[in-house]
Every structure is written in structure tokens, then in C-alpha cells.
Amino acid sequence: METGDPLVTAEWLKANIDAPDVRVIDASWFAPFISPVKSGKKVYNAGHIPGAVFFDIDDISDTSSPFPHTAPDSIKFSSRVRKLGIGDGHRVVIYDQNNFCAAARAWWLLRLMGHDEVAVLDGGMAAWQAVGGEIEDIPAIVTERHFTARVQSRLIKSTAQVEQATKNASHRILDARPLGRFLGADPEPREGLPSGHIPGSNPLPASDLVNPNGTLKSIEQLSNHFENSKQATITTCGSGVTACIVALALARLGNWDVGVYDGAWSEWASEPSRKIAQGQA
């Protein structure tokens, strides 16, 4: 069972970055409907933590799926991360340059594939620079390593499982999208999707869990957002990215078994026969 804090500080990383078993991942990602001219690869190429490799959530995904960046199978995932030099026995630290947006997603994917020696850099690139961490703009030189995937099925939820949870109330369902989209007051950014929410779900915008400086809120502050942090929980959002921030927050509170609805609203709302709720939960 995973325990401890899923975050590490910039001070810790600076002191341990040269350890032979530490590997650093830059998982920067920008939603194309928010920052169409920005991409994770562009900001990585412009500057990253020394030795960091770039983890592309759109590439390390099931590209045959009609929905964005859904989790790949274990074979593809293993192949991709081996080529990034990530392997068994490595302590992996993940950061991004966009307020946890995809660092939490990459953290969840590695755990989904059975790698539990993984943490997120609290505050990301900004925190690293604040402690005087160096930046480089040359690609990391990596040696391919063996990665053994052991899929942890409890961490991923399908539409059928979410539908069942809405009927039997077996899990609390938390939606990480902005409140306006949850209520149905604001349009969805993905063309053709109605706004609203999964019946029985509750809103918890991921932005509420992050401080203005890009760090995750303290354990005490996070506790105020959850009536019962240990409750069986499924998280969802627009496409399975910010849902992982809620899962990260709950892991910080000791609940490591949160399931992420991978297809998220992109999948749920794509089928006209599925029920959609609007207004307050």
C-alpha cells in the first residue's frame, strides 16, 4: 500500500537530483482550447530541469480511442517509458510548467501501470527556479531501461463502472471541471458536447486545490474540501487530466485508491442516451 506524501519539495529534488536512481519527467501540457499556440514540447525545449525527459500525454495514450489522451495498454506504455530511460527501481519525480495540470496525470499513469516510486514536484518549474535550480534547453541523454507494467485496475474506471456507481451510490463522484461547466451555465470547450454533469456527482474544481504560487494546498487546507477523505471516490473532469489533481490531493490525505474516470465528460456526454444533470448537485 502506498503511503506518505505524493509530493516532494524543490529543495528535496535539488539535494537528490544526482542520485543514480532518481529520474525527472517534464509532463507539461496545455489544453489546445485554452493555449492553442503553446505546447508542452515547446516549453520543454525552451527550458527544463537538467536531465528531465519529456512525457507527452497525447503520445503516451491510446491513440486509437475517439477520446483525448486516454490511458494506453501496458505494452505501449512500457515501450514509451523505457525509451525515456524510466525503469524498475527508479524514483521518479514529475513536474510541469502549468500548475499541476498534467504532472498529476503522468503521476497517475505511472501508478496505474504499477510504478509506485513516483512523486510530483510541488510547485513545478516555478518552485525549482525559486530555490536556484538550474535550467537547460538541451534534450536529456537517456539509456533505455526495463519497465515492468503491472496494471492497477482499481485506479481506472470505465463508463459502465461510473454508471453503476450513480445507481448504487458505491462511490462519491467528484468533478474537477470549472463550476460553470458542471452547472451547465457555461459551454463545453470541446465542440459538440453539451455542458452539465454526471447525475449524482459533485463539483470540486481542481483550481480550488492549488495555491496561487502553483503549489498544492496544505493537508489542513485540503481537508476542508472533503467531508470524508477516505470515502470510496471516482474523479472525473473534461478529458481525464484535472481529475488526477483531485486524486493527487486525496492521496495526500491518505486515500491512494481513488479511481479516475478516464473517458471523463468527453466520453459520457458523447452518447445522447446518457443522462445529463444541470444546476446544483
Side-chain angles (χ1 to χ4, degrees):
M1 179 177 292
E2 294 168 295
T3 59
D5 196 334
L7 305 178
V8 296
T9 65
E11 290 86 354
W12 183 94
L13 181 58
K14 192 174 182 183
N16 291 274
I17 194 167
D18 293 326
D21 62 337
V22 170
R23 296 293 183 274
V24 182
I25 286 175
D26 184 320
S28 296
W29 178 80
F30 299 84
F33 51 81
I34 295 176
S35 302
V37 298
K38 244 181 183 179
S39 75
K41 191 60 181 290
K42 284 181 180 178
V43 300
Y44 170 83
N45 288 339
H48 52 266
I49 293 175
V53 294
F54 179 64
F55 188 107
D56 186 344
I57 66 167
D58 287 320
D59 175 61
I60 306 178
S61 69
D62 178 6
T63 49
S64 67
S65 170
F67 309 110
H69 40 251
T70 51
D73 62 31
S74 59
I75 295 173
K76 179 175 182 179
F77 186 87
S78 296
S79 173
R80 290 292 196 272
V81 298
R82 282 200 308 264
K83 291 175 181 176
L84 293 179
I86 307 296
D88 300 341
H90 283 154
R91 291 183 290 168
V92 180
V93 177
I94 305 173
Y95 74 96
D96 65 33
Q97 303 186 43
N98 191 20
N99 288 351
F100 283 105
C101 188
R105 174 72 183 184
W107 167 83
W108 172 78
L109 279 169
L110 277 158
R111 293 179 57 241
L112 175 65
M113 297 298 169
H115 194 90
D116 57 11
E117 287 291 322
V118 55
V120 175
L121 175 61
D122 197 17
M125 175 68 92
W128 174 256
Q129 291 179 294
V131 299
E134 295 181 1
I135 302 295
E136 65 181 21
D137 58 6
I138 56 173
I141 299 173
V142 300
T143 301
E144 188 168 330
R145 295 291 295 266
H146 179 73
F147 183 93
T148 305
R150 301 180 181 90
V151 177
Q152 307 298 303
S153 58
R154 76 187 190 283
L155 298 180
I156 187 168
K157 300 300 180 183
S158 66
T159 298
Q161 289 172 307
V162 173
E163 286 178 328
Q164 188 62 32
T166 65
K167 295 173 183 176
N168 61 21
S170 60
H171 290 70
R172 165 182 57 187
I173 303 173
L174 297 178
D175 192 321
R177 292 175 300 156
L179 185 59
R181 289 162 60 187
F182 177 92
L183 297 175
D186 296 336
E188 280 296 305
R190 293 176 176 86
E191 187 177 353
L193 286 183
S195 58
H197 58 269
I198 297 169
S201 63
N202 286 281
L204 181 53
S207 58
D208 289 356
L209 307 177
V210 181
N211 292 312
N213 68 352
T215 58
L216 200 64
K217 288 187 175 179
S218 68
I219 289 175
E220 182 180 3
Q221 290 171 318
L222 291 174
S223 297
N224 294 329
H225 291 280
F226 302 97
E227 185 176 344
N228 177 7
S229 62
K230 301 300 192 296
Q231 182 178 350
T233 302
I234 297 171
T235 63
T236 184
C237 59
S239 64
V241 176
T242 56
C244 297
I245 300 176
V246 181
L248 179 70
L250 282 165
R252 193 167 209 203
L253 295 175
N255 186 348
W256 293 84
D257 294 323
V258 173
V260 172
Y261 176 24
D262 198 31
W265 191 249
S266 295
E267 182 170 356
W268 183 273
S270 68
E271 174 50 61
S273 66
R274 289 193 193 105
K275 292 181 179 179
I276 292 176
Q278 295 186 328
Q280 292 290 345

